[in-house]
Amino acid sequence: MTPKCCFLGFLIGVLLPGVVETQPAHESLKPQRVHFQSQNFHNILHWQPGRACPGNSSIYFVQYKTYGQRQWKDKEDCWGIQEFFCDLTNETSDIWEPYYGRVRTTLAGVHSGWTMTQRFFPWWETKIDPPFMNITQVNGSLLVNLHAPNLPYRDQKRKNVSMEYYGLVYRVFVINNSLEKEQKVYEGAHRVVEIEALTPHTGYCIVAEMYQPTLDRRSQRSQERCVESP
């Protein structure tokens, strides 16, 4: 064991008694629970420190690749960092491709092995936020204005790309508070939905969600917006 490894072994033994006897130092350094978290196709790699990594004294190195590639690529912005996450959105922008990420750490001059994610498929694994919703009353009806979450990409005109681009549609539900009854009143791509035939002087709550028909997959529901009909 080199002097640096001896120092590391001593440090691990002080902080975590029993670790040195059960596994090599570089194994105790390996990052734990390396995984992707994806929200609206913002794909962030997360991990936790190895068993022998006290506080923020370790630095981390991140690589990624597309499934089927042999060569790993360095993520320059996450090469020698102390954070426990790395934004790989741009590197995983083809949402129909599967990817891998991996992380290693260095402490006191000793490098850990790499810890790799499971295969990550953005299209299947991203979580979709509910649509934004605004409600106005017009001539006894309710106009529901909907706006899908934006993707982390821009089009050729540098404008934000909406989640609608991937075939997601809106679903709108109305809850009649007096009857405690919920009804789906709309499913489709229109951003403005008119809800008519309301009972006068009755409280209604509106909720909406995004839905992908091909995958039978939906977002969480928006918060209820409640109004009273005139």
Side-chain angles (χ1 to χ4, degrees), residues 37-77:
Q37 291 182 6
S38 180
Q39 195 83 16
N40 302 324
F41 300 111
H42 293 263
N43 305 323
I44 313 298
L45 188 69
H46 291 262
W47 60 89
Q48 293 183 357
R51 297 179 60 195
C53 297
N56 292 325
S57 56
S58 297
I59 57 176
Y60 298 93
F61 304 87
V62 174
Q63 292 183 329
Y64 63 94
K65 70 174 183 176
T66 305
Y67 174 73
Q69 292 180 339
R70 291 186 177 183
Q71 196 71 25
W72 289 88
K73 298 178 182 179
D74 299 341
K75 171 61 174 175
E76 294 184 3
D77 294 343

Side-chain angles (χ1 to χ4, degrees), residues 135-144 198 202 226-230:
I135 299 173
T136 55
Q137 296 189 28
V138 179
N139 298 326
S141 299
L142 298 179
L143 285 183
V144 182
L198 301 176
T202 301
C226 299
V227 296
E228 183 170 330
S229 60

